[in-house]
């Protein structure tokens, strides 16, 4: 939960501007706005960026991998690239002038629901932002749309600047737990009211993340060994299949009558 950054909503990696990994000429404008080192920089192209510089380079690669995977689903998310700043690996995002912290009224919540399944698929328990510095600020309001600006809590690592890895199993229990205020208050406050139809709609977006495209991104950005990359692919494919199956089962039940508990239906489906 840190900064206002930008990229066209629902853009894909092929349509967004790319930065070379080792571009020089970064000029710092101001300090960090969140839990990780970094700040606002003017890039070699003269544009303004927010750059995060984690102590662990693997965290930077993990975040950019998550960012690219989100983009495969058509998520509304800022584009991020790996860059070299002050001799360290960083994560750069175009600065978005005018982006504001959401008030999380019903309109903003419903707009964010579109990407719920992607958050669960990518194990992002901090998608909304639970940190004390800038709570509920990882998804910002920009020109009437909601855009994810910080996916640092996805995949293997926790958010809020944590360096340690978190559990990332092949069964996506987060598809249900992120709706539970007793397990994740910040996520449940935004996504707890998601309707069965909106849940199914968000699930359908995972179809655009094909195995080949996922593998290509893992090969390019994952910081681990060949065996660790294979495990990441297997984990993501297993989670994707389980979420898509749950979405299909819930879609069938929608036509049979009211669904009283989406969490319970998801648990049954998983």
């Amino acid at each position: 939960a840190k900064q206002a950054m930008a990229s066209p909503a629902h853009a894909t990696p092929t349509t967004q501007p790319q930065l070379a990994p080792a571009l020089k000429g970064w000029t710092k404008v101001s300090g960090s706005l969140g839990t990780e080192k970094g700040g606002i920089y003017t890039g070699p192209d003269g544009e303004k960026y927010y750059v995060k510089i984690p102590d662990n380079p693997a965290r930077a690669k993990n975040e950019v991998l998550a960012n690219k995977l989100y983009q495969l689903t058509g998520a509304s998310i800022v584009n991020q690239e790996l860059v070299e700043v002050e001799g360290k690996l960083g994560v750069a995002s175009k600065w978005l002038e005018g982006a504001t912290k959401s008030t999380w009224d019903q309109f903003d919540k419903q707009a964010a629901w579109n990407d719920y399944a992607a958050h669960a698929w990518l194990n992002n328990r901090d998608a909304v932002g639970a940190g004390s510095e800038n709570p509920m600020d990882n998804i910002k309001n920009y020109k009437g749309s909601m855009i994810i600006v910080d996916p640092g809590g996805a995949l293997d690592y926790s958010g809020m600047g944590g360096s340690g890895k978190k559990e990332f199993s092949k069964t996506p229990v987060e598809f249900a737990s992120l709706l539970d205020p007793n397990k994740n208050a910040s996520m449940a406050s935004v996504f707890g009211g998601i309707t069965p139809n909106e849940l199914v709609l968000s699930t359908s977006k995972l179809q655009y993340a094909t195995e080949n495209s996922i593998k290509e991104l893992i090969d390019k950005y994952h910081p681990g060994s060949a065996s660790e990359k294979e495990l990441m692919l297997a984990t993501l494919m297993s989670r994707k299949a389980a979420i898509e199956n749950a979405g299909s089962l819930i879609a069938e039940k929608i036509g049979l009558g009211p669904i009283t508990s989406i969490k319970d239906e998801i648990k049954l489906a998983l």
Side-chain angles (χ1 to χ4, degrees), residues 116 174-189 191-192 263 267:
Y116 177 70
E174 292 78 15
F175 198 36
S177 66
L178 296 183
L179 301 175
D180 190 341
N182 294 317
K183 295 182 177 180
N184 194 315
S186 62
M187 290 292 284
S189 69
F191 297 102
K263 292 195 298 291
K267 290 176 182 177

Side-chain angles (χ1 to χ4, degrees), residues 72 85 157 169 200 205 219-220:
L72 289 182
V85 177
Y157 289 88
S169 71
V200 171
K205 295 173 66 176
D219 287 343
K220 183 175 182 179

